[in-house]
Amino acid sequence: MSNVFMKVRPSGVLKYDDCPRAYKYQYVDRIRTETTSVNLPFGTAVHDACTSWLIADSTGKTVSIADIFREGFQKALDTKIVSFPQDKLPEDLFKMGEALVTSFPAAWTDSGLKVLMDKDGMPMVERRLETEIRPGVVLSGQPDVVAVDAQDRVVVPDIKTPAQSSDEVFAAASEQLTSYQLLLEDPSVVAFTGRKKVDRVGFFEGIKRKVSRTGKGPTWEPPILVDARSDSDIDDLKWKIQAMAADVEAGVFPKRPRMAFNSPCTMCDYVGLCHRGDKSGLIFSTSDTDNGMDELMAAADAL
Ligand code: SF4
């Protein structure tokens, strides 16, 4: 690989699409907020518990999936300033997370999917993969799990914990999934997976509902899987990343407020900084301090 000028994650491509100025604040200036929405550590804790179980199960080991969730979520609450929505207390989220992770093994078994093992017999779970888009521009991503189905097709199910399930339309369009396919079909990755093509991509979703005696609590939905992307879809993503790299190289980060009905500004962590130069509530990165941005970006990738 040539000298790397820009390494971009799938979540970075999405952020740039959303608003180039917000991308600059997050990925170039590495500014983060003092408080973190509880959705991020919750999703990370569920995700880490499920992927740890997948690694253990596929290598003949056992782990306590509930302990991994509880310890991960508690650690995040102990070490970060976390904001909660009005309708959810920490104990609600502990119950919800435990219900989700303890039902994950059965849901995974019911899906009929099995973890793909690489040529060295290692599970394809949480493996950091890279592909060079053009000299100096690298896409870097970490699919949760690469699996095979009953027909021995290669399947990439992204594990998520949304409040509502996605649909096939979004699964057929999601650029995060396109990115994973692009990464897995890179010759350097094919060399250790032994699989040249991805056949199916989609979502494996645990729906965040409160644990309740009467209503439907948290559940894992059957995976939403669609056919892999066409060559033309893959080429479109490569062109898009190259255009984004050209803007980043030129230092072009325009604001993208769009229309009132679909503006990203109302949900933007940087709205005060962007509109008024207000730095309150933000933590700036310096060359010798870690402001936790790497951890935050990894968590955003996982959601
Ligand atoms: S406030 Fe709006 S224009 Fe400014 S960075 Fe955020 S999303 Fe972009």
Side-chain angles (χ1 to χ4, degrees), residues 130-278:
E130 293 189 347
T131 184
E132 194 170 55
I133 302 294
R134 68 151 167 86
V137 176
V138 171
L139 175 68
S140 169
Q142 193 165 294
D144 298 330
V145 54
V146 186
V148 286
D149 66 11
Q151 288 84 46
D152 198 38
R153 296 179 296 185
V154 176
V155 181
V156 187
D158 191 47
I159 299 170
K160 293 204 172 301
T161 54
Q164 289 173 336
S165 59
S166 307
D167 55 28
E168 286 196 8
V169 173
F170 185 61
S174 159
E175 281 185 335
Q176 184 184 16
L177 298 178
T178 314
S179 297
Y180 291 157
Q181 181 180 334
L182 174 55
L183 288 160
L184 282 158
E185 293 179 353
D186 183 278
S188 67
V189 178
V190 170
F192 64 81
T193 62
R195 300 297 193 116
K196 283 188 183 155
K197 296 292 286 178
V198 169
D199 298 298
R200 309 270 284 161
V201 295
F203 300 117
F204 196 91
E205 295 180 325
I207 307 300
K208 277 190 294 198
R209 295 187 200 94
K210 264 190 184 178
V211 173
S212 122
R213 283 200 204 101
T214 47
K216 193 176 183 186
T219 51
W220 289 93
E221 301 298 307
I224 301 164
L225 299 173
V226 296
D227 287 342
R229 307 293 190 249
S230 64
D231 290 346
S232 138
D233 285 339
I234 295 284
D235 284 345
D236 283 347
L237 180 62
K238 287 184 186 169
W239 278 111
K240 181 174 179 172
I241 294 172
Q242 289 187 56
M244 172 185 165
D247 282 351
V248 172
E249 198 163 22
V252 176
F253 300 102
K255 297 178 184 181
R256 190 171 288 161
R258 298 204 287 262
M259 306 287 277
F261 72 91
N262 69 353
S263 173
C265 299
T266 45
M267 299 286 288
C268 178
D269 288 339
Y270 306 108
V271 65
L273 180 66
C274 177
H275 291 178
R276 302 182 301 279
D278 180 359

Side-chain angles (χ1 to χ4, degrees), residues 69 94-104 209 211 217-218 220:
F69 164 74
F94 271 103
K95 280 187 198 157
M96 192 191 293
E98 282 177 31
L100 276 175
V101 300
T102 52
S103 57
F104 178 77
R209 295 187 200 94
V211 173
W220 289 93

Side-chain angles (χ1 to χ4, degrees), residues 68-86:
I68 296 171
F69 164 74
R70 270 194 299 267
E71 286 163 18
F73 192 41
Q74 188 64 58
K75 186 175 171 202
L77 298 188
D78 291 344
T79 55
K80 298 181 194 326
I81 305 172
V82 176
S83 63
F84 288 81
Q86 281 186 335

